[in-house]
Amino acid sequence: MSGFTVKPEPVQVPGLTHLHTGKVRELYATASGELVMVATDRVSAYDWVLPTEIPDKGRLLTALSLWWFERLADLAPSHVLSDAPPPGAPADWKGRTLVCRRLDMVPVECVARGYLTGSGLAEYREGGAVCGVALPAGLEDGSRLDEPVFTPATKAEVGEHDENVSFEAVSAQVGAELAGELRELTLALYGRGREIAEERGVLLADTKFEFGRDAGGRLVLADEVLTPDSSRFWPAEGWAPGRPQPSYDKQIIRDWLTSAESGWDRAADTPPPPLPDEVVERTRAKYVEVYERLTGTPVPFG
Ligand SMILES: C[C@H](c1ccccc1)n1cc(-c2ncnc(N)c2C#N)cn1
């Protein structure tokens, strides 16, 4: 089992219909058919949504996503209409709410990898390839790939992992033309993100984009973009292939959860314990650090 220790009860807002509770986000619809994406302060680790929230995580990741949408706009239009919470929304939705165009979502997790780790590394170790793309021999955990690779996945059911699939499988699912567009756009967006992040001493190991099509059939960038929840960001100064790289935002939590101090046994499939205040504070500081290092600006709230 994994997922939620206690499934959260979504906030009900007059005029909004609650559609979906994700691990760390809530999705609503307005009466006029727009979508309202609300980022919470929930955090997940080892496939569990933890019982302790990280203050300001939702606002930090929403602000970062907006910052990236602006810098990707010449490559792909975004679904974002406004960052103003709808009338009647709770005051604490400010800064962590995006009102978005409702799109016809493409059922493919569009992942780009510039470095080998996670499920890509596991697949490579089994067969020397990821999503059917052969890679050179001798790569290790954290190896930089000569060229970024499009490694799509199918969306998993709640509590399951996305399944890596080949480009040919995506072509069979959505058609060869759209599959080609998804690959080209995913790699272009990744390349822009990697370039900007590296200028700031941050390695973008991999990231996941989601796309939808608007009424005109145009591909539109949806969901969140280039946040620590949709991407792996590594501090460049700590990069050393051959071992797991320190995750910018989750390492503190992972290290505590797997330490004797937590008393938690990941293999026992029991919910993780609450986080100590010190782990919460250090993790919040990491989210602030990622935001400020990438954007070059102080966090836009007190
Ligand atoms: C998985 C993700 C989700 C986000 C937030 C909270 C829970 C789930 N989601 C996004 C859509 C979606 N559907 C139609 N148009 C859109 N513009 C979007 C977006 N983004 C459906 N699901």
Side-chain angles (χ1 to χ4, degrees):
M1 185 180 104
S2 63
F4 287 99
T5 45
V6 177
K7 186 95 171 174
E9 193 55 41
V11 170
Q12 294 305 323
V13 177
L16 295 186
T17 303
H18 180 261
L19 298 179
H20 181 80
T21 292
K23 282 188 174 180
V24 297
R25 292 176 300 168
E26 301 289 344
L27 191 65
Y28 296 79
T30 67
S32 57
E34 293 164 345
L35 290 181
V36 181
M37 211 159 46
V38 184
T40 73
D41 289 347
R42 297 196 293 262
V43 64
S44 69
Y46 297 123
D47 294 326
W48 287 93
V49 177
L50 304 187
T52 312
E53 295 190 337
I54 305 300
D56 295 324
K57 174 176 179 280
R59 291 197 293 178
L60 283 160
L61 268 60
T62 299
L64 183 57
S65 207
L66 283 170
W67 187 85
W68 280 116
F69 274 123
E70 285 173 22
R71 283 152 185 81
L72 302 174
D74 61 307
L75 296 173
S78 101
H79 67 152
V80 177
L81 294 170
S82 165
D83 61 357
D92 74 352
W93 280 21
K94 182 173 172 47
R96 60 189 182 97
T97 299
L98 296 179
V99 179
C100 303
R101 289 188 272 165
R102 187 187 287 260
L103 300 171
D104 176 16
M105 294 303 283
V106 176
V108 179
E109 306 281 75
C110 290
V111 179
R113 299 171 189 265
Y115 295 77
L116 194 59
T117 193
S119 68
L121 174 66
E123 203 174 314
Y124 169 80
R125 281 176 170 164
E126 279 188 14
V130 187
C131 296
V133 178
L135 296 175
L139 299 179
E140 306 171 298
D141 193 352
S143 289
R144 181 182 169 107
L145 302 177
D146 293 338
E147 287 296 325
V149 180
F150 178 60
T151 60
T154 54
K155 296 186 182 189
E157 295 302 320
V158 174
E160 298 300 321
H161 277 149
D162 294 342
E163 179 191 344
N164 289 351
V165 293
S166 68
F167 178 74
E168 291 69 24
V170 174
S171 301
Q173 184 179 10
V174 304
E177 184 179 355
L178 177 54
E181 281 181 79
L182 294 171
R183 176 168 59 185
E184 183 180 0
L185 190 48
T186 298
L187 292 174
L189 292 165
Y190 171 81
R192 175 71 57 81
R194 175 161 80 170
E195 181 183 2
I196 292 173
E198 281 187 3
E199 287 167 2
R200 293 153 169 84
V202 179
L203 303 183
L204 177 59
D206 52 45
T207 194
K208 172 189 66 83
F209 297 112
E210 297 212 24
F211 298 96
R213 283 189 285 195
D214 64 14
R218 281 178 298 274
L219 266 186
V220 176
L221 188 50
D223 201 35
E224 61 185 322
V225 289
L226 294 168
T227 71
D229 277 349
S230 68
S231 317
R232 286 187 176 93
F233 287 109
W234 298 332
E237 64 272 14
W239 179 54
R243 57 162 173 75
Q245 309 306 310
S247 151
Y248 228 128
D249 59 303
K250 299 267 178 80
Q251 205 55 48
I252 295 163
I253 289 175
R254 289 179 184 149
D255 289 350
W256 184 79
L257 284 175
T258 52
S259 73
E261 186 186 331
S262 75
W264 184 56
D265 176 4
R266 181 185 174 192
D269 211 12
T270 54
L275 300 177
D277 291 348
E278 180 258 351
V279 170
V280 172
E281 286 152 22
R282 286 172 57 210
T283 300
R284 181 187 180 282
K286 279 295 175 185
Y287 283 118
V288 171
E289 181 184 334
V290 167
Y291 177 86
E292 294 188 340
R293 192 162 177 179
L294 287 173
T295 67
T297 61
V299 293
F301 49 81

Short mmCIF file of all heavy atoms in Angstrom, two decimals, residues 68 71 111 131 170 212 215 241 260 262:
data_model
loop_
_atom_site.label_atom_id
_atom_site.label_comp_id
_atom_site.label_asym_id
_atom_site.label_seq_id
_atom_site.Cartn_x
_atom_site.Cartn_y
_atom_site.Cartn_z
N TRP A 68 8.67 29.70 -14.89
CA TRP A 68 9.08 28.87 -16.03
C TRP A 68 8.11 29.03 -17.21
O TRP A 68 8.57 29.11 -18.37
CB TRP A 68 9.15 27.41 -15.61
CG TRP A 68 10.37 27.01 -14.88
CD1 TRP A 68 10.44 26.55 -13.58
CD2 TRP A 68 11.72 26.98 -15.35
NE1 TRP A 68 11.74 26.25 -13.23
CE2 TRP A 68 12.55 26.51 -14.31
CE3 TRP A 68 12.32 27.31 -16.57
CZ2 TRP A 68 13.93 26.35 -14.44
CZ3 TRP A 68 13.70 27.15 -16.71
CH2 TRP A 68 14.50 26.68 -15.66
N ARG A 71 9.16 31.72 -19.36
CA ARG A 71 10.42 31.52 -20.10
C ARG A 71 10.32 30.42 -21.16
O ARG A 71 11.27 30.16 -21.87
CB ARG A 71 11.55 31.25 -19.10
CG ARG A 71 11.97 32.55 -18.45
CD ARG A 71 12.55 32.45 -17.07
NE ARG A 71 12.78 33.81 -16.56
CZ ARG A 71 11.80 34.56 -16.04
NH1 ARG A 71 10.54 34.09 -15.95
NH2 ARG A 71 12.04 35.80 -15.63
N VAL A 111 8.24 12.76 -20.61
CA VAL A 111 9.45 12.87 -19.78
C VAL A 111 10.68 13.05 -20.66
O VAL A 111 10.82 12.39 -21.69
CB VAL A 111 9.62 11.60 -18.90
CG1 VAL A 111 10.89 11.68 -18.05
CG2 VAL A 111 8.38 11.41 -18.01
N CYS A 131 13.15 3.16 -22.63
CA CYS A 131 12.03 3.40 -23.57
C CYS A 131 12.41 3.02 -25.00
O CYS A 131 12.03 3.70 -25.96
CB CYS A 131 11.56 4.84 -23.50
SG CYS A 131 10.88 5.30 -21.91
N VAL A 170 3.84 5.08 -28.09
CA VAL A 170 3.14 6.37 -28.07
C VAL A 170 2.55 6.67 -29.45
O VAL A 170 1.40 7.07 -29.58
CB VAL A 170 4.10 7.51 -27.65
CG1 VAL A 170 3.42 8.88 -27.77
CG2 VAL A 170 4.57 7.29 -26.22
N GLY A 212 -1.98 19.31 -23.51
CA GLY A 212 -3.36 19.10 -23.95
C GLY A 212 -3.54 19.84 -25.26
O GLY A 212 -2.65 20.57 -25.70
N ALA A 215 -9.20 24.02 -28.37
CA ALA A 215 -10.32 23.81 -29.31
C ALA A 215 -9.84 23.85 -30.76
O ALA A 215 -10.40 23.20 -31.64
CB ALA A 215 -11.38 24.87 -29.07
N PRO A 241 28.70 11.28 -10.67
CA PRO A 241 28.13 10.04 -11.20
C PRO A 241 28.69 8.83 -10.44
O PRO A 241 29.81 8.87 -9.97
CB PRO A 241 28.59 10.03 -12.66
CG PRO A 241 28.84 11.46 -12.98
CD PRO A 241 29.33 12.09 -11.71
N ALA A 260 17.54 5.72 11.67
CA ALA A 260 17.02 4.99 12.85
C ALA A 260 16.11 5.91 13.67
O ALA A 260 15.14 5.47 14.29
CB ALA A 260 18.18 4.50 13.68
N SER A 262 13.82 7.91 12.88
CA SER A 262 12.38 7.98 12.52
C SER A 262 11.62 6.76 13.03
O SER A 262 10.39 6.81 13.20
CB SER A 262 12.24 8.05 10.99
OG SER A 262 12.49 6.77 10.42
#
